Amino acid sequence: MTTSTSSRPVSAGSSTPQKWGSTEEHTRTGVTVTLENNTNYMILLCNNCTDTGENSLAGEWEGGRGVRVVEELTEVLNQAVKMVNFIKSRPLKKRLFQKMCQEMGAVHISLILHTDIRWLSRGRVLNRILELKEELKTFFQEERHDIFIKLHENSTWCLKQSYLADIFMKLNELNLSMQGRLEGIVTSVNKMKGFQRKLKSWKSAVQKDDVSNFPSLQQPGYKGLETVKNLILNHLEQLREAVDKYFPSLWIVSPFELADMAEELDFTAIKRDKFLDMSADSTLKVKFEKSDVTLATFWHGTLGEYPNLAKKAISLLLPFSTSYLCEQAFSAMATIKSKQRNKLLSLEDDMRVALSTIRPDIKSLCSKHQSQVSH
């Protein structure tokens, strides 16, 4: 992906995530956009302000409690970004900080700049600040920057920052697990459901003062967990409810177990009747339970008897669940068309070679051409 020198926190945006809707809705907007937006929606609960200062989806959905929780965490993120900008945007301070880190024997000698376009940068920025906590504190003392010194000496602020660093890293891990050529809508939703169960488990543990799931909160010298306990519990609950609201169970995965919930599914009256008929078909149930039958194969086989249901199911299975392939193509294009090749007009052949999964037989290709030997 391309890089950016922007250091603003990623804006929440003003578009509203869409719930799984009708087949026509998926065809129009694309499941890729829907799933990506909803994954980002969970991240937006940590970042509620847009560039124009409007409330994010989390604040509108959760009401006053959600706004307060998100505002507190957003303020911590913004303050952490300001610390990084204070050093990274000034070459002299950047060199002085690097020299100090070397003299103090730090693991790293520089901070990471948070950019809009690098969607994994939040967690990395916050973790790097935690790793260089003592170096930053010493540097700000020498610079006599009272605001940043007070923040580092504030245990409540440090606890909030540590929690943010851990939750962003967990969200990054979830996002990365949903990338890949073989990723589908079913596997993505399953991972989201698994993450939802983790959130419930983490909340239960925090209620018992067990923060082993958030290692940054266990750093030596961190005291006063009770001051941020309710904040963490509320935020974890918001994340869990967001997953539950925007990622309901897919009926295509277990059609024979959801007969009692047919009224809750997004079906027309005719399709609902057909769904109830199909869920009572024992022959189809046996085929569905066979281990060698994939979802795509099963639903394709029902096109003759239940065409409307089958078409609706296939329309959910066909689209890509994430924009991984598009981003991969964009990265390949950015690599091919560099500054040194800025006059390159046609990229079709180069892109085809870069993105193809077929490995070229170099020996066979070379054998068909005569080498030009020197005279």
Side-chain angles (χ1 to χ4, degrees):
M1 293 296 288
T2 59
T3 58
S4 170
T5 56
S6 171
S7 58
R8 295 174 299 143
V10 176
S11 61
S14 57
S15 59
T16 304
Q18 298 179 6
K19 191 173 180 179
W20 294 113
S22 63
T23 305
E24 291 76 12
E25 181 182 7
H26 287 300
T27 304
R28 185 176 66 254
T29 61
V31 177
T32 298
V33 176
T34 304
L35 189 56
E36 281 291 318
N37 285 346
N38 283 296
T39 304
N40 292 333
Y41 172 75
M42 294 196 306
I43 301 177
L44 296 180
L45 293 177
C46 295
N47 187 11
N48 81 309
C49 292
T50 65
D51 293 338
T52 58
E54 298 174 356
N55 287 335
S56 73
L57 303 173
E60 295 174 2
W61 163 55
E62 194 63 24
R65 178 172 65 93
V67 171
R68 287 192 299 273
V69 169
V70 176
E71 282 182 348
E72 287 187 50
L73 295 177
T74 303
E75 183 181 6
V76 173
L77 176 61
N78 290 340
Q79 289 167 338
V81 171
K82 287 179 181 178
M83 290 182 186
V84 176
N85 291 346
F86 177 77
I87 297 175
K88 297 284 285 186
S89 63
R90 297 169 174 83
L92 177 59
K93 296 188 185 301
K94 179 181 177 181
R95 292 194 297 271
L96 290 173
F97 183 71
Q98 289 177 344
K99 185 68 174 176
M100 176 182 288
C101 290
Q102 290 174 345
E103 293 176 351
M104 295 179 69
V107 180
H108 307 286
I109 62 171
S110 64
L111 297 168
I112 298 176
L113 187 66
H114 173 51
T115 59
D116 287 352
I117 205 164
R118 292 179 179 269
W119 52 277
L120 293 177
S121 66
R122 294 186 191 88
R124 292 172 178 171
V125 168
L126 294 170
N127 272 284
R128 181 61 60 86
I129 291 176
L130 286 176
E131 292 170 347
L132 297 176
K133 178 185 175 183
E134 294 303 322
E135 290 77 8
L136 282 169
K137 187 176 179 179
T138 304
F139 183 80
F140 291 139
Q141 287 174 345
E142 291 187 359
E143 292 290 326
R144 297 180 180 179
H145 201 302
D146 295 336
I147 297 177
F148 291 160
I149 293 173
K150 289 179 180 179
L151 289 177
H152 276 285
E153 293 177 347
N154 187 330
S155 60
T156 300
W157 187 88
C158 291
L159 288 169
K160 292 178 183 178
Q161 184 210 353
S162 299
Y163 167 72
L164 268 181
D166 286 337
I167 199 67
F168 272 129
M169 291 305 293
K170 293 180 184 298
L171 288 168
N172 286 350
E173 292 173 3
L174 174 65
N175 272 294
L176 288 173
S177 71
M178 295 169 65
Q179 310 303 315
R181 289 180 175 273
L182 301 179
E183 185 70 16
I185 187 66
V186 175
T187 55
S188 293
V189 171
N190 289 341
K191 289 172 183 177
M192 296 298 294
K193 289 295 183 182
F195 185 74
Q196 182 188 33
R197 294 173 183 174
K198 289 181 184 178
L199 289 169
K200 185 177 180 180
S201 173
W202 297 339
K203 179 183 176 183
S204 177
V206 172
Q207 288 175 332
K208 301 174 184 177
D209 296 329
D210 178 8
V211 292
S212 57
N213 296 302
F214 303 100
S216 297
L217 292 174
Q218 298 176 297
Q219 292 191 28
Y222 277 12
K223 298 179 181 179
L225 179 63
E226 292 296 326
T227 59
V228 296
K229 182 176 179 180
N230 288 334
L231 179 76
I232 294 174
L233 291 174
N234 289 336
H235 187 251
L236 291 174
E237 180 61 22
Q238 288 181 45
L239 290 176
R240 192 191 66 80
E241 291 177 2
V243 177
D244 186 56
K245 182 176 180 180
Y246 290 92
F247 291 90
S249 300
L250 284 178
W251 58 271
I252 58 175
V253 179
S254 51
F256 298 96
E257 298 175 5
L258 298 177
D260 296 334
M261 300 174 58
E263 295 294 332
E264 301 177 13
L265 300 177
D266 184 24
F267 286 152
T268 61
I270 297 175
K271 287 182 180 179
R272 187 178 297 110
D273 290 344
K274 290 293 183 181
F275 179 77
L276 291 172
D277 289 339
M278 189 195 72
S279 62
D281 192 327
S282 58
T283 304
L284 281 179
K285 186 176 181 180
V286 171
K287 292 181 181 179
F288 183 81
E289 292 174 350
K290 288 185 177 179
S291 59
D292 59 338
V293 178
T294 63
L295 280 176
T297 303
F298 171 79
W299 286 109
H300 185 268
T302 62
L303 276 171
E305 192 171 358
Y306 303 99
N308 292 333
L309 281 177
K311 289 178 181 178
K312 185 176 179 69
I314 292 173
S315 69
L316 294 176
L317 290 170
L318 277 178
F320 299 107
S321 59
T322 68
S323 58
Y324 170 80
L325 294 177
C326 297
E327 293 177 10
Q328 185 185 43
F330 185 81
S331 297
M333 184 194 70
T335 302
I336 294 171
K337 195 167 184 177
S338 59
K339 290 182 179 180
Q340 290 73 23
R341 299 175 179 173
N342 58 0
K343 293 188 180 296
L344 187 63
L345 299 179
S346 178
L347 297 177
E348 287 81 0
D349 295 337
D350 301 282
M351 291 282 289
R352 187 176 294 110
V353 173
L355 299 175
S356 176
T357 57
I358 302 175
R359 303 293 297 176
D361 188 348
I362 303 298
K363 290 184 179 180
S364 176
L365 293 172
C366 292
S367 66
K368 297 178 182 178
H369 297 274
Q370 182 179 356
S371 58
Q372 300 296 323
V373 297
S374 60
H375 296 285

